[in-house]
């Protein structure tokens, strides 16, 4: 039996990640596929609650320490991710290690240091990067109240995402989607980019940035 596909959606704040994951999820359900949605940060765990307090500016945490907490929050989901994939369930994941690097590096932490704690995580079969200019993102109801939701920060993060893509490693598939268009157009592009994965994937789950 083919294993499930691991599909990650990345992008800036307000790029439509959650909207598009929900649309793809409904499409896969309508096709009778086994599919699950996951999201990072996962704010439901003990570590996730610390991250939530940090993002809401209710707690101050050193930049290095919060970076490691975001990574630990992914590691605590690994057994669940592997189990779902092995039993043939497709995973749609809202943000992953790529956000981890882009956000922390844009605060000035060394890029390679940021990458290290996520080395060895399950590697996605495809990353869809929803690209919007910070200006378009801001038109979508403006940024929220959380710590990183400022135009200047989002501009730096967008630049860091280019570096993250370029360090992806040989096997990583990174597709850029123009997410500045109407929702249904973006949805169609995402469906077309991912449909070869809908019947599952042959071969083992690779590890992210493994040597
Ligand atoms: N972070 C980190 O630092 N390190 C890490 O390792 C990880 C994350 C994993 C919280 O993330 C913060 O954590 C985030 C990165 C950091 N900081 N920031 N910024 P989060 O995922 O919990 O929160 P978020 O990125 O802010 O998600 P979001 O605001 O929910 O954005 P979204 O999911 O991309 O957008 P959306 O909710 O689908 O859509 C936003 C609005 O736009 C909504 O009103 C939609 O109806 C509308 N929309 C969506 N698509 C369109 C189109 N095509 N046209 C017009 N309007 C649209
Ligand atoms: Mg937000």
């Amino acid at each position: 039996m083919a294993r499930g596909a691991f599909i990650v959606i990345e992008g800036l704040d307000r790029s439509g990640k959650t909207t598009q994951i929900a649309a793809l999820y409904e499409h896969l359900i309508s096709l009778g596929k086994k599919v699950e949605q996951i999201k990072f940060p996962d704010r439901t765990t003990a570590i996730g609650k610390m991250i939530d307090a940090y993002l809401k500016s209710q707690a101050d945490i050193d930049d290095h320490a919060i970076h490691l907490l975001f990574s630990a929050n992914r590691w605590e989901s690994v057994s669940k991710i592997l189990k779902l994939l092995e039993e043939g369930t497709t995973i749609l994941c809202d943000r992953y290690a790529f956000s981890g690097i882009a956000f922390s590096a844009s605060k000035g932490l060394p890029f390679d240091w940021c990458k290290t704690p996520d080395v060895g995580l399950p590697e996605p079969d495809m990353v869809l990067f929803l690209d919007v200019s910070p200006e378009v993102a801001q038109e979508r109801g403006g940024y929220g109240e959380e710590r990183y939701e400022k135009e200047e920060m989002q501009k730096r993060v967008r630049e860091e995402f280019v570096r993250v893509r370029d360090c992806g490693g040989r096997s990583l598939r990174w597709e850029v989607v123009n997410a500045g268009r109407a929702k249904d157009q973006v949805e169609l592009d995402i469906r077309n980019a991912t449909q070869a994965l809908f019947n599952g994937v042959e071969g083992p789950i690779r590890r992210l940035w493994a040597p």
Side-chain angles (χ1 to χ4, degrees):
M1 185 186 83
R3 65 172 174 85
F6 185 22
I7 300 169
V8 167
I9 299 205
E10 281 282 7
L12 296 182
D13 192 28
R14 298 288 183 272
S15 56
K17 299 176 297 300
T18 306
T19 305
Q20 292 301 333
I21 284 207
L24 186 57
Y25 178 83
E26 292 305 327
H27 179 62
L28 286 169
I29 290 287
S30 76
L31 296 176
K33 305 291 180 193
K34 285 203 290 185
V35 55
E36 287 262 345
Q37 303 180 55
I38 60 172
K39 161 166 198 23
F40 294 109
D42 172 0
R43 303 188 197 216
T44 65
T45 68
I47 293 169
K49 288 188 171 72
M50 292 167 77
I51 295 172
D52 185 55
Y54 172 80
L55 288 169
K56 291 181 172 145
S57 299
Q58 293 161 356
D60 276 325
I61 301 177
D62 170 80
D63 287 344
H64 302 80
I66 190 68
H67 181 77
L68 296 173
L69 288 176
F70 273 114
S71 178
N73 187 233
R74 285 183 279 280
W75 280 105
E76 62 183 347
S77 282
V78 167
S79 56
K80 175 183 159 190
I81 291 173
L82 294 177
K83 187 167 177 287
L84 285 169
L85 296 176
E86 278 155 14
E87 69 189 32
T89 302
T90 292
I91 297 180
L92 306 179
C93 176
D94 194 338
R95 291 195 190 271
Y96 198 51
F98 316 100
S99 277
I101 302 175
F103 279 81
S104 292
S106 75
K107 293 193 288 186
L109 296 189
F111 189 88
D112 287 335
W113 185 90
C114 293
K115 194 174 154 189
T116 302
D118 287 316
V119 170
L121 282 173
E123 183 182 278
D125 296 299
M126 187 180 286
V127 180
L128 293 154
F129 181 77
L130 304 195
D131 194 29
V132 283
S133 64
E135 291 78 16
V136 169
Q138 191 136 37
E139 281 166 19
R140 293 182 181 172
Y143 292 121
E145 296 300 316
E146 290 200 336
R147 193 178 281 265
Y148 297 145
E149 298 180 330
K150 315 258 177 338
E151 192 175 354
E152 208 34 58
M153 173 83 177
Q154 297 290 329
K155 277 188 178 149
R156 286 202 303 277
V157 171
R158 191 169 187 237
E159 288 160 15
E160 288 298 338
F161 264 123
V162 175
R163 289 177 72 192
V164 174
R165 178 201 63 198
D166 292 344
C167 81
R170 279 188 308 273
S171 52
L172 190 71
R173 283 186 66 188
W174 182 284
E175 306 281 340
V176 178
V177 176
N178 175 359
R181 298 166 300 151
K183 284 180 200 176
D184 52 348
Q185 283 180 297
V186 180
E187 191 179 328
L188 209 58
D189 272 12
I190 290 178
R191 252 186 230 182
N192 288 336
T194 51
Q195 67 181 358
L197 299 171
F198 292 172
N199 290 324
V201 177
E202 298 294 339
I205 297 144
R206 294 179 303 268
R207 295 302 175 136
L208 200 53
W209 303 308

